[in-house]
Amino acid sequence: MLKFDDTSNDERLAKLHQQEEEEFLQIMSGKHGIPYADLSAIPIDTGAVGLIKEDLARAALIAPFDLAGKKLKVGLFSPTQTNTKEVLASLAERGFIIEQYLVSHASLEKVWERYQEISGATKSEAGMVDISVENMAGLVEKFTTLTAVSEALQKTVTEKTARHISNLFSVIIAGAIGIRASDIHIEPAEDAIHIRYRIDGVLHEVVTLPHAIYRLFSSRLKLLAGLKLNLGAESQDGRFSIKIADIEIEMRVSIIPGAYGEGVVMRILNPLSLNVTLEDLGMSPRLLAIVEKEISKPHGMILNTGPTGSGKTTTLYAFLKRIYSPEIKMMTIEDPIEYHMKGVSQTQVETKKGYTFLEGLRAAMRQDPDVIMIGEIRDSETAKVAINAALTGHMVFSTLHTNTAAGAIPRLIDIGVTPKIIGSSLTVALAQRLARKLCVECKKEDAPNEREQKIIDEVATLIKEKVGTVVQTKKVWRSVGCIKCNNTGYKGRVGVFEAVLMDADIEALLDTIPSEREIREAAKKQNILSMREDGIEKILAGATSFDEVERVVDLEGE
């Protein structure tokens, strides 16, 4: 008796049906004006998939598969289906720029398979990852001091409810946002997990967690940030966003393996904390006038230097906001985009996808911009293209890792820029640090000690010679601490600046490949305060303390 291979026949019919569907969608692609995509050979981004719940994605026949910054690629079977339109609209409301692609059921299934990977964490233990917008907004308003956050976290850690992990997660994040922390550090140690907030550049411990709770917490964090749950021995980077009162706060998550567990740093990109004006930065009146003049020029290059976390990018944003006009095209290449600016074309570096600062700059040059901001110049090629942009009629803002303004020129030469063209392109090099401002509620007036008085007298003479300002030299202010400043004595930060202008004296030095010291000596004639002098001036004005400025600037001498 003959036996037919029904399974083989079914497979052939299924393949034929899939092929017909793919061909049909290619035809419909032209009709709807939406590109067709076959996702069978395209890597799927779990971070994108997690933006829509599985049941909603399946019902709407929709599948997000790639996320770069705010650009989201979405596969869909029918653009006319009502619930598909609703899901797309909700994504757009969350600030995503959507690229639509027509895809088959097979492609959709490939993306939907990733939900198994994402949901693996929630099946192992009780507790859900759920950040309610209303709940989060209420928590943020409640947390105005470190003490309030610590007490709430201690209470949440001891909860015995099914949602205690989600509650813990919400309190940690809401507390950090409420007291304007810039980062959340989660550091496993032998005894416990230490959670610290970075406030005004300084870390403060808020709570410790047992290792058992942290394992659950870590899974939820990875789930929300779109990271792989089964990797514990590799570093990973992810992100997620929280919307509070119409403000979207982005969280950048970095995870690295350690001896006692995975260490986590969550960077909080809050638009409110970055929304500062040029006047808010703390520049002296003379330097502010110089900077306003230089950034208003039609072309040239302005470099801002300093270590990581010294506020360089915030300063560049202030430059962009000051010169913004609908009549000029402004573009940025950033890593990451920290503050979304209306009317500015912003792009984000994606190194894994080949979009580097260099590629971004080359692409930007083809877009006919008037002003370009490059997050950082890291290599010779980027530096050369940036300088060429400044020479061909563009205004270029960027950052460079050197310790002083005078060090910017030797650094450019060191990475391969021809010295002669630096004089024609670079207009001003800045350097900055961030010092904490004294709390106005509790700061205490005091007399300088012997060492402080010696430095103050020396610098006060230099300030008078350079800018003609006579500063008082007999009073300083000390930090005390009160409830309004979380008992730190400080609240907010102010910039300490210096600058070197490209003038005839500096340009004459370039052929000799000058050292940082030679440039600093030649720049003294410009009568711009050094960081040491600017810091002392702020101390004597009561803006900050001697100890705080000395933490970020060498006050002993130059």
Side-chain angles (χ1 to χ4, degrees):
M1 183 176 178
L2 292 173
K3 190 173 182 181
F4 293 97
D5 187 353
D6 293 332
T7 304
S8 178
N9 193 43
D10 287 344
E11 286 176 355
R12 283 196 295 270
L13 285 171
K15 285 181 180 178
L16 182 61
H17 176 72
Q18 182 182 335
Q19 185 179 341
E20 287 175 347
E21 187 177 275
E22 302 284 357
E23 290 172 354
F24 169 73
L25 286 169
Q26 290 179 52
I27 295 168
M28 295 304 290
S29 169
K31 178 184 175 183
H32 292 297
I34 299 173
Y36 159 81
D38 179 1
L39 303 184
S40 61
I42 294 176
I44 306 303
D45 184 345
T46 309
V49 178
L51 293 173
I52 303 175
K53 292 182 179 178
E54 183 177 3
D55 56 349
L56 194 60
R58 288 183 178 274
L61 295 178
I62 192 168
F65 61 91
D66 185 76
L67 181 64
K70 300 300 290 184
K71 290 184 179 178
L72 178 65
K73 293 182 179 179
V74 175
L76 47 95
F77 184 74
S78 171
T80 59
Q81 192 169 308
T82 303
N83 51 359
T84 302
K85 291 178 180 178
E86 289 172 353
V87 173
L88 291 172
S90 69
L91 289 169
E93 286 173 5
R94 289 160 66 185
F96 293 106
I97 301 164
I98 300 166
E99 290 182 18
Q100 299 179 29
Y101 295 86
L102 283 186
V103 300
S104 66
H105 282 89
S107 288
L108 290 172
E109 285 292 349
K110 184 197 172 183
V111 177
W112 294 339
E113 284 173 5
R114 300 302 291 272
Y115 281 112
Q116 295 179 1
E117 179 183 330
I118 292 173
S119 63
T122 57
K123 292 176 183 176
S124 58
E125 299 279 350
M128 299 175 291
V129 177
D130 177 28
I131 297 182
S132 161
V133 174
E134 294 79 12
N135 182 42
M136 184 63 73
L139 285 173
V140 169
E141 289 179 5
K142 175 183 173 184
F143 297 134
T144 56
T145 66
L146 269 173
T147 303
V149 178
S150 293
E151 289 174 354
L153 284 171
Q154 292 287 0
K155 183 180 178 182
T156 309
V157 167
T158 57
E159 277 183 4
K160 298 299 180 184
T161 66
R163 297 175 59 86
H164 76 288
I165 297 299
S166 291
N167 292 339
L168 179 66
F169 196 95
S170 296
V171 172
I172 287 172
I173 293 174
I177 294 170
I179 62 174
R180 297 293 179 92
S182 60
D183 304 88
I184 302 169
H185 289 245
I186 304 175
E187 300 159 336
E190 186 175 8
D191 57 334
I193 310 299
H194 299 267
I195 297 181
R196 301 194 289 172
Y197 291 165
R198 188 179 294 280
I199 306 167
D200 293 332
V202 177
L203 287 168
H204 301 269
E205 185 160 308
V206 286
V207 76
T208 58
L209 302 179
H211 278 272
I213 288 181
Y214 180 58
R215 282 191 290 273
L216 304 178
F217 178 90
S218 176
S219 294
R220 273 98 185 133
L221 175 60
K222 286 183 177 181
L223 169 64
L224 200 60
L227 302 177
K228 293 181 180 177
L229 304 171
N230 55 349
L231 284 185
E234 294 180 21
S235 62
Q236 294 191 74
D237 295 311
R239 57 180 173 253
F240 61 93
S241 297
I242 300 168
K243 199 167 186 178
I244 301 172
D246 296 325
I247 297 169
E248 186 168 318
I249 297 171
E250 189 165 353
M251 311 288 293
R252 298 279 169 151
V253 181
S254 173
I255 295 181
I256 61 169
Y260 301 105
E262 292 176 298
V264 176
V265 174
M266 286 186 270
R267 185 162 184 211
I268 304 167
L269 301 180
N270 187 343
L272 293 180
S273 63
L274 293 162
N275 190 16
V276 298
T277 65
L278 205 53
E279 289 78 11
D280 295 333
L281 297 173
M283 290 183 182
S284 64
R286 185 164 185 273
L287 180 57
L288 181 60
I290 290 170
V291 166
E292 284 194 298
K293 177 185 174 184
E294 295 299 327
I295 64 176
S296 300
K297 289 181 177 179
H299 57 81
M301 175 186 277
I302 295 178
L303 290 177
N304 196 9
T305 70
T308 300
S310 59
K312 300 186 297 296
T313 303
T314 302
T315 298
L316 295 189
Y317 279 136
F319 292 172
L320 291 175
K321 278 181 279 190
R322 175 53 58 91
I323 64 172
Y324 171 75
S325 165
E327 297 173 357
I328 61 175
K329 183 177 179 72
M330 304 170 78
M331 298 192 70
T332 71
I333 305 106
E334 306 173 60
D335 184 20
I337 294 173
E338 296 188 18
Y339 172 60
H340 295 278
M341 295 186 67
K342 195 173 181 179
V344 180
S345 299
Q346 295 174 268
T347 65
Q348 183 166 300
V349 168
E350 294 283 343
T351 307
K352 291 180 181 178
K353 298 179 181 179
Y355 188 73
T356 60
F357 280 115
L358 176 59
E359 290 305 314
L361 181 54
R362 284 174 173 163
M365 290 293 287
R366 295 191 290 270
Q367 296 285 313
D368 188 30
D370 298 291
V371 179
I372 306 170
M373 186 189 101
I374 309 161
E376 184 185 343
I377 291 176
R378 296 176 178 172
D379 55 65
S380 173
E381 285 301 310
T382 307
K384 288 174 182 175
V385 176
I387 282 177
N388 184 59
L391 291 171
T392 53
H394 305 82
M395 174 53 75
V396 179
F397 301 143
S398 190
T399 70
L400 197 65
H401 276 294
T402 65
N403 287 322
T404 65
I409 293 170
R411 175 63 180 150
L412 287 174
I413 295 170
D414 185 53
I415 61 176
V417 177
T418 305
K420 287 183 180 180
I421 65 171
I422 295 175
S424 305
S425 55
L426 182 65
T427 55
V428 59
L430 293 161
Q432 74 175 84
R433 302 290 188 274
L434 288 176
R436 290 180 295 171
K437 290 194 288 188
L438 282 164
C439 174
V440 295
E441 300 290 335
C442 64
K443 67 180 181 179
K444 181 180 71 173
E445 187 181 310
D446 195 14
N449 61 37
E450 185 179 345
R451 173 178 170 271
E452 291 170 345
Q453 190 67 64
K454 182 181 177 183
I455 294 171
I456 287 169
D457 289 342
E458 179 190 338
V459 174
T461 303
L462 293 172
I463 292 172
K464 185 179 179 182
E465 289 173 358
K466 280 189 174 183
V467 296
T469 303
V470 178
V471 293
Q472 67 81 21
T473 59
K474 301 303 178 185
K475 292 186 293 186
V476 293
W477 283 260
R478 310 290 185 191
S479 62
V480 178
C482 65
I483 192 168
K484 290 194 175 181
C485 62
N486 290 309
N487 291 312
T488 63
Y490 300 95
K491 192 170 185 181
R493 289 191 285 181
V494 64
V496 181
F497 294 91
E498 68 179 18
V500 171
L501 297 172
M502 182 57 68
D503 60 13
D505 290 337
I506 303 292
E507 199 166 352
L509 286 175
L510 294 177
D511 286 336
T512 66
I513 309 182
S515 67
E516 183 178 325
R517 184 180 295 276
E518 289 171 319
I519 292 168
R520 191 163 56 239
E521 284 299 316
K524 284 183 177 179
K525 298 176 185 177
Q526 297 174 0
N527 291 329
I528 299 172
L529 298 182
S530 67
M531 275 193 287
R532 180 190 186 215
E533 293 153 1
D534 190 39
I536 292 292
E537 188 175 58
K538 287 180 169 68
I539 291 168
L540 299 177
T544 186
S545 69
F546 206 97
D547 290 342
E548 181 59 19
V549 173
E550 197 159 40
R551 185 177 66 85
V552 293
V553 178
D554 180 12
L555 295 180
E556 285 290 347
E558 297 180 339

